[in-house]
Amino acid sequence: MFRLSLQVRDYECDLQGVVNNAVYQHYLEHARHAFLRAQGVDFAALAAQGDHLMVIRAELVYKAPLKPNDHFEVMVRMKAKGRLKAVFEQQIVREDGTVIANAHFEGANIRQGRPARLPEALRLCLTEHNEAMR
Amino acid sequence: MFRLSLQVRDYECDLQGVVNNAVYQHYLEHARHAFLRAQGVDFAALAAQGDHLMVIRAELVYKAPLKPNDHFEVMVRMKAKGRLKAVFEQQIVREDGTVIANAHFEGANIRQGRPARLPEALRLCLTEHNEAMR
Amino acid sequence: MFRLSLQVRDYECDLQGVVNNAVYQHYLEHARHAFLRAQGVDFAALAAQGDHLMVIRAELVYKAPLKPNDHFEVMVRMKAKGRLKAVFEQQIVREDGTVIANAHFEGANIRQGRPARLPEALRLCLTEHNEAMR
Amino acid sequence: MFRLSLQVRDYECDLQGVVNNAVYQHYLEHARHAFLRAQGVDFAALAAQGDHLMVIRAELVYKAPLKPNDHFEVMVRMKAKGRLKAVFEQQIVREDGTVIANAHFEGANIRQGRPARLPEALRLCLTEHNEAMR
């Protein structure tokens, strides 16, 4: 399973003194993109060639808040859902083992404003992962 | 139903040229806080007195992306879920009527790190809304 | 002088309970882009055609912090600086008249990674403004 | 000199495909706070006890933009300016040695809405740094 180690930055915390809800989506996105890049799928390069990988569904369950300077890991698991969607199961875990959030994302590829087949690099990557999970 | 009118700011768009996923959470949070304030519930004041209204669950279904300068409305409906949770059903609609996103948020009150009864101002507000929906 | 009316959103405040320093740059950028659009210069459209208006210098003097829900205005004045630069003098003023920040920005046009003449729409706009200031 | 190694995250890039101007302020702030913490000065803890270290002046000169996935370092040098201000000279340098930005920040301590002496931990830290520079 892919893991990305990060640390909370003070500006990510809001007036409650903890990381703002929306920032977790940033962490999760950053981990998904790092995961994809590790598989040879470059999000920015795909966007430049007209393949826009878009999140179509996001579910986040917040268990405990992150605080300034906390160290944590963001996990990423990916699998195919039909021919047009990629599903990401993610978890944020603080370094002491506390689960901070569970998340489920579904993504699709949009070309010229319409749903399109997933880019080949991503399909290859999904095939390998699906086989690895059997 | 509460509606807040907003417009996309260029810095909210990412390298795909559309509003970044996480920014929708910001729009939705801002609308919830504006809604609460319109009912006399001040988020920042509650935080200052130790009542931390926290999102514990977020579900977002992204239907279409917002682009630079788009005008849109964020809708908010609230109801109680048991004695400890407030539920918000939200929708983002572009000014041409296109549904951009549907969202469901659940919030709880955390005092000194533990779940606590919802603050009285919010309970009163929930009672009125539940009655209005009957 | 161009003025844009805005209100602080809770998520823009950091753990000090006031608007984070970097967010003022967002406000100032948003006001510059709104100002330009009001003159017929569309930042996103220029970027799409390869004209990247980039900030090359920013100076901000912070006088007083903005707090949750504060209403404020962002002022914009623009003038040319030589043939390649546009200068923006800006101010953020809270609705009670308190000056929150003074700012000075210099921008240039970058095409294919190199400094280029300012786009025609912007040059026209600068000429009008310089004449108006005489 | 203090150095913090970071990498660009895709969500930090705007519709021009490069890191948004305001985000550099986030990088610079994060490096200042990391620097202070390395000296035993905890920004969030100071805020909690009523000492609000606030930026009162920021000057940024942008030399070249950062792009998705770029690795870079943020440098921090600090010195006292009179009895009430701390000055930070900072630089952002991409891993290939390209200078991305030079920055100068001035900070002051605000207690109960008024300028106050710098917190003792910060004064000690400044004394050591000033001596080290002689």
Side-chain angles (χ1 to χ4, degrees):
Chain A
M1 187 171 50
F2 184 82
R3 294 156 187 268
L4 184 69
S5 290
L6 296 172
Q7 186 181 13
V8 173
R9 302 174 182 178
D10 287 343
Y11 67 79
E12 296 168 336
C13 298
D14 64 18
L15 52 81
Q16 289 186 324
V18 297
V19 171
N20 181 268
N21 298 309
V23 173
Y24 295 95
Q25 277 224 35
H26 276 157
Y27 294 156
L28 294 159
E29 175 191 296
H30 180 50
R32 289 195 305 275
H33 290 199
F35 163 78
L36 289 173
R37 202 163 52 249
Q39 320 283 327
V41 181
D42 185 318
F43 179 83
L46 286 176
Q49 74 182 41
D51 283 305
H52 294 281
L53 299 181
M54 309 287 274
V55 169
I56 56 173
R57 183 176 191 90
E59 295 176 15
L60 300 94
V61 178
Y62 299 92
K63 298 288 195 180
L66 285 171
K67 295 187 176 167
N69 307 320
D70 279 353
H71 290 268
F72 60 98
E73 283 193 324
V74 188
M75 277 75 159
V76 185
R77 271 207 196 86
M78 182 179 70
K79 60 181 180 185
K81 182 175 178 181
R83 311 188 89 201
L84 295 175
K85 294 181 193 167
V87 169
F88 298 86
E89 302 294 347
Q90 298 190 257
Q91 190 168 58
I92 299 176
V93 179
R94 202 168 54 199
E95 67 176 342
D96 66 356
T98 303
V99 175
I100 297 299
N102 292 314
H104 168 96
F105 283 83
E106 297 181 14
N109 186 27
I110 308 294
R111 278 189 73 86
Q112 301 179 316
R114 291 165 177 281
R117 231 179 145 192
L118 294 171
E120 191 183 3
L122 185 54
R123 288 204 312 275
L124 280 171
C125 173
L126 279 162
T127 305
E128 284 171 25
H129 279 266
N130 282 2
E131 285 173 2
M133 285 184 202
R134 271 176 207 165
Chain B
M1 186 171 50
F2 184 82
R3 295 156 186 268
L4 184 69
S5 291
L6 296 173
Q7 187 182 10
V8 173
R9 302 173 182 179
D10 286 343
Y11 67 79
E12 296 168 336
C13 298
D14 63 19
L15 51 81
Q16 290 185 325
V18 297
V19 171
N20 181 268
N21 298 311
V23 172
Y24 295 95
Q25 280 220 34
H26 277 158
Y27 294 157
L28 293 159
E29 175 191 297
H30 180 49
R32 291 195 304 276
H33 291 200
F35 163 79
L36 289 173
R37 203 164 51 248
Q39 320 282 326
V41 180
D42 185 318
F43 179 84
L46 286 176
Q49 75 182 39
D51 283 305
H52 294 282
L53 299 181
M54 309 288 274
V55 169
I56 55 173
R57 184 177 191 90
E59 294 176 15
L60 300 94
V61 179
Y62 299 92
K63 298 287 194 182
L66 285 171
K67 296 187 175 167
N69 306 320
D70 278 354
H71 290 267
F72 60 97
E73 283 193 324
V74 188
M75 277 73 160
V76 185
R77 272 207 194 84
M78 182 179 70
K79 60 181 179 185
K81 182 175 176 180
R83 312 187 89 201
L84 294 176
K85 294 181 194 167
V87 169
F88 298 86
E89 302 294 346
Q90 298 190 258
Q91 190 168 57
I92 299 177
V93 180
R94 202 168 55 199
E95 66 175 342
D96 66 356
T98 303
V99 175
I100 298 299
N102 292 314
H104 167 96
F105 283 82
E106 297 182 14
N109 186 26
I110 308 294
R111 278 190 73 84
Q112 302 179 315
R114 290 165 178 282
R117 231 179 144 191
L118 294 172
E120 191 183 3
L122 184 55
R123 287 204 313 273
L124 280 171
C125 173
L126 279 162
T127 305
E128 284 171 26
H129 278 267
N130 283 0
E131 283 173 2
M133 286 185 202
R134 270 175 208 166
Chain C
M1 187 171 51
F2 183 83
R3 293 155 187 269
L4 183 69
S5 291
L6 295 172
Q7 187 181 11
V8 173
R9 301 174 182 178
D10 286 343
Y11 68 79
E12 297 169 334
C13 298
D14 64 18
L15 51 81
Q16 289 185 325
V18 297
V19 171
N20 181 269
N21 298 310
V23 173
Y24 295 95
Q25 280 220 34
H26 277 157
Y27 294 157
L28 294 159
E29 174 191 297
H30 180 50
R32 290 195 306 276
H33 290 199
F35 162 78
L36 289 173
R37 203 164 51 248
Q39 320 282 325
V41 181
D42 185 318
F43 179 84
L46 285 176
Q49 75 183 40
D51 282 306
H52 294 281
L53 299 181
M54 308 288 274
V55 169
I56 56 173
R57 183 176 191 91
E59 294 176 16
L60 299 96
V61 179
Y62 298 92
K63 299 287 195 182
L66 286 171
K67 296 186 176 168
N69 307 320
D70 279 353
H71 291 267
F72 60 98
E73 282 193 325
V74 188
M75 278 73 160
V76 185
R77 273 206 196 85
M78 182 180 69
K79 60 182 179 184
K81 183 176 176 180
R83 312 188 89 202
L84 295 176
K85 294 181 193 166
V87 169
F88 298 87
E89 301 294 346
Q90 298 190 257
Q91 191 168 57
I92 299 176
V93 180
R94 201 170 53 201
E95 67 175 341
D96 67 355
T98 303
V99 175
I100 298 299
N102 291 314
H104 167 95
F105 283 82
E106 298 181 15
N109 186 27
I110 308 294
R111 277 190 72 85
Q112 301 180 316
R114 290 165 178 281
R117 231 179 145 192
L118 294 171
E120 192 183 3
L122 185 54
R123 288 204 312 275
L124 281 170
C125 173
L126 279 162
T127 305
E128 284 171 25
H129 278 265
N130 282 0
E131 284 173 1
M133 285 186 203
R134 273 175 205 165
Chain D
M1 186 171 51
F2 184 82
R3 294 156 187 268
L4 184 68
S5 291
L6 296 173
Q7 187 181 11
V8 173
R9 302 175 182 177
D10 287 343
Y11 67 79
E12 296 168 335
C13 298
D14 63 17
L15 50 82
Q16 290 186 324
V18 296
V19 170
N20 182 268
N21 298 308
V23 173
Y24 296 94
Q25 278 224 34
H26 277 158
Y27 294 156
L28 293 159
E29 175 192 297
H30 180 50
R32 290 195 305 277
H33 290 199
F35 163 79
L36 289 173
R37 202 164 53 248
Q39 318 283 326
V41 180
D42 184 319
F43 180 83
L46 285 176
Q49 76 182 39
D51 283 305
H52 294 281
L53 298 181
M54 308 289 273
V55 169
I56 56 173
R57 183 177 192 92
E59 294 176 17
L60 299 95
V61 178
Y62 299 92
K63 298 287 195 181
L66 285 172
K67 296 187 176 168
N69 306 321
D70 278 353
H71 291 268
F72 60 98
E73 283 193 324
V74 189
M75 278 75 159
V76 185
R77 271 206 196 86
M78 181 179 71
K79 59 182 179 185
K81 182 175 178 181
R83 312 188 88 202
L84 295 176
K85 294 182 194 166
V87 169
F88 298 87
E89 302 293 347
Q90 299 190 256
Q91 190 168 58
I92 299 176
V93 180
R94 201 169 53 199
E95 67 174 344
D96 66 357
T98 303
V99 175
I100 298 299
N102 291 314
H104 168 95
F105 283 83
E106 297 182 14
N109 186 27
I110 308 295
R111 278 190 71 84
Q112 301 179 318
R114 291 164 177 281
R117 230 178 145 193
L118 294 171
E120 192 183 3
L122 184 55
R123 287 204 312 274
L124 281 171
C125 173
L126 280 162
T127 305
E128 283 171 26
H129 279 265
N130 282 0
E131 284 173 2
M133 286 185 202
R134 272 176 207 164

